[in-house]
Amino acid sequence: MSFFSHKPIETVAEARARAKKLLPKDVFTALEAGSDGGSTIRANLRAFEQVGMIPRVGVEIPLHPDLKTTFMGQNIDLPVVIAPAAAQAMHPDGEVGVARASRRAGTALGLANFASMPVEDVASANPNTFAHVYLSGDRDTIADRVERFRRAGVKGLIFTLDLSGGRVAHQPRDWGSPVYPDGLGLGTMMKYAPTAVVHPRWTLRYLRRGSVPGLYAPNMSKKDGVVPTLVGALNEWVGTHIPTWDDMAWLSDLWGGPFMIKGLVTPDDARRALDVGATAIGVSNHGGNNLDTTPSPLRFLPAVVKAVGDQAEVTFDSGVRRGTDVVKALALGAQSVMIGRPWFYGLATDGERGVYEVLETFRITIERTLIGLGKSSIHDLTPEDLVIPDGFLIE
C-alpha cells in the first residue's frame, strides 16, 4: 500500500473529514466558506432534512434500478453531474482527473472558466464536458474564449447568472476570506512555506508531479496566448459590468447550441431565461456563495419546473450531499442534479480515484433509495413519494 492509499470513500461526510485533515486551512476554508455568515449553506442542507420519503414494500424491482437520464441533451448513466467550480488547489490530478472519474462513472462535467487545467485536456478526458463561461472582459475577448471552447469539443455552455461579477463573488465572510496569491514568486513561496511543511501529504503530491496548486487560469487567456494568474483573471472579471438578460441573449446567439443559465430560483426568471435562448435551467443559489439568507432552491424547484414545462431541461444544485438528496430533487422535477463541494472533497482525498468513489457513493445510495421507495427507475419518482412540510414550497 502506497503512502497516499486509503480505504474506499463510503460517504461524502467521510470524504469531507479526510479533506479537512489533509488540506491547508486556507484551502479548506475557501472550499467550505459561503457568503457572509453562511446562513444559506445551512439552509440548503436543512431543507433536505425537512423533506421525508414514503417507503413502498413488496414491489418487484430490478437489482439495479434505471438511473439513466440526459444532461443538456447528452445521455448520462448517473443523474449526478460535476458542477463547474474553480480555483482548485486540492490535488495535482485537477480537472483532468475529475474528467476521467466522471467519464468512468458515466456522467458529465461542467468545467469552470477559472479552472486550473486547459479545456482541451479536460474535454479530451471526458467528451461530455460543458464549459462554464463568465462575462469577463469585452465581447471580443469573450467571443474568442467561446470559440476556443467550441474547437475543444465541449457540448454546451453554462452561465452562472446569480454570481454576477467579482463584486458579488468576493464579498467578506464572517469566518474570513482566504487570499489567493498572485503567481508563484519568492515572496509567495516564503509566505506559504510553513503551510507546506505542516501539510506534508498535500505538499508531496505536488512535488512528486513537479507542479504547484492552481494559481493560473489557462482558460482565461486572450489572443496573445498569455496565461493569466488566477488573481489577474479575477481582476478582469471584477472590472466587467454585471451581466444582463441582453448579455444572455447575445451569448446564446453566439454559441448557437445547448445553453444553461444557472443560478435561478423564481419562475419569472426561468421564463426570462427561456426567452433569451436557454435550453437548460439551473435551479441553484450557488451553494450559498452569493446572497446570504436566500432560502434553499429546493423550495422553488417545483414552481420552476412547472413554469418551464417541456421547453427546457431543469437541473438542480446547492446542498446536495447524499443520494437521498438527489432522489428528492428528482422527485420534485429536476432531470439531473449537480454537485460541487462533494467532488472537491473526493479530489482532495485521493485525486481522480477519490472523485470516482464519491460519485459511486451517490450511485449506490440512489439505487438503495429507489428500492426503498418501490421504484424501478428515477423516472418513476413523483412528489407523492415525499412528505413535504406545509409552507415548504415557494411559488
Side-chain angles (χ1 to χ4, degrees):
M1 181 177 291
S2 76
F3 180 67
F4 297 102
S5 295
H6 66 272
K7 71 181 183 69
I9 296 168
E10 296 182 351
T11 66
V12 171
E14 180 183 345
R16 178 187 180 277
R18 294 187 194 179
K20 183 177 182 179
K21 184 176 181 180
L22 187 146
L23 294 174
K25 181 180 177 181
D26 276 359
V27 177
F28 187 76
T29 300
L31 166 59
E32 284 282 280
S35 60
D36 296 332
S39 297
T40 296
I41 289 181
R42 294 189 293 273
N44 288 346
L45 299 174
R46 190 166 57 247
F48 284 105
E49 296 176 352
Q50 293 172 327
V51 175
M53 293 186 290
I54 303 171
R56 306 291 184 187
V57 298
V59 180
E60 185 176 350
I61 301 170
L63 183 61
H64 295 289
D66 177 22
L67 307 188
K68 292 181 174 63
T69 187
T70 60
F71 178 77
M72 295 181 68
Q74 297 298 312
N75 294 325
I76 54 176
D77 296 330
L78 179 70
V80 181
V81 175
I82 299 292
Q88 79 85 14
M90 310 291 149
H91 194 283
D93 282 357
E95 292 86 2
V96 170
V98 178
R100 292 194 189 107
S102 55
R103 182 177 186 177
R104 181 181 171 194
T107 192
L109 83 155
L111 179 69
N113 223 164
F114 292 141
S116 67
M117 292 185 168
V119 62
E120 293 83 0
D121 296 345
V122 176
S124 177
N126 186 344
N128 269 350
T129 293
F130 295 80
H132 182 261
V133 61
Y134 279 129
L135 200 71
S136 182
D138 59 31
R139 285 194 171 184
D140 285 343
T141 297
I142 298 166
D144 286 341
R145 291 174 183 149
V146 168
E147 288 309 304
R148 178 183 173 187
F149 297 154
R150 196 190 308 276
R151 291 193 302 271
V154 303
K155 294 298 194 297
L157 290 188
I158 300 171
F159 193 99
T160 302
L161 192 55
D162 68 327
L163 204 66
S164 301
R167 289 171 293 277
V168 175
H170 294 88
Q171 56 189 309
R173 297 176 288 212
D174 287 1
W175 45 78
S177 300
V179 177
Y180 298 118
D182 190 9
L184 196 64
L186 179 61
T188 298
M189 289 190 285
M190 292 180 64
K191 178 180 179 181
Y192 287 94
T195 295
V197 172
V198 173
H199 297 85
R201 288 185 63 195
W202 176 78
T203 305
L204 284 172
R205 284 173 170 171
Y206 284 96
L207 291 177
R208 289 177 67 183
R209 299 281 186 90
S211 62
V212 296
L215 303 180
Y216 295 87
N219 301 311
M220 294 293 287
S221 60
K222 299 181 182 180
K223 282 186 176 181
D224 58 13
V226 175
V227 176
T229 63
L230 179 61
V231 171
L234 290 171
N235 287 337
E236 178 190 78
W237 185 33
V238 170
T240 305
H241 71 271
I242 293 175
T244 66
W245 289 114
D246 286 342
D247 293 315
M248 295 300 95
W250 170 77
L251 190 58
S252 175
D253 289 342
L254 176 69
W255 176 248
F259 179 50
M260 175 189 291
I261 299 181
K262 182 171 159 320
L264 311 181
V265 294
T266 68
D268 285 346
D269 280 346
R271 285 187 283 262
R272 289 293 301 273
L274 296 177
D275 290 341
V276 298
T279 63
I281 304 296
V283 179
S284 164
N285 61 25
H286 208 85
N289 280 312
N290 186 24
L291 179 64
D292 203 20
T293 71
T294 299
S296 165
L298 195 67
R299 294 173 172 265
F300 296 90
L301 179 57
V304 172
V305 169
K306 181 179 179 181
V308 170
D310 61 359
Q311 299 177 76
E313 290 187 15
V314 175
T315 188
F316 175 91
D317 72 72
S318 299
V320 178
R321 297 292 186 273
R322 49 186 61 84
T324 50
D325 299 341
V326 175
V327 169
K328 291 172 184 178
L330 297 177
L332 290 175
Q335 196 158 334
S336 60
V337 170
M338 302 183 82
I339 57 169
R341 290 183 178 92
W343 73 256
F344 263 150
Y345 298 145
L347 184 66
T349 300
D350 200 22
E352 175 185 336
R353 171 185 162 184
V355 176
Y356 176 74
E357 289 175 356
V358 164
L359 289 170
E360 285 302 292
T361 69
F362 279 99
R363 185 193 308 278
I364 291 167
T365 307
I366 293 169
E367 287 186 347
R368 187 178 66 234
T369 304
L370 289 174
I371 292 170
L373 293 173
K375 303 293 182 181
S376 297
S377 168
I378 58 172
H379 303 287
D380 297 333
L381 293 165
T382 72
E384 283 67 42
D385 294 309
L386 307 177
V387 179
I388 303 172
D390 290 340
F392 181 87
L393 300 180
I394 300 174
E395 294 293 333

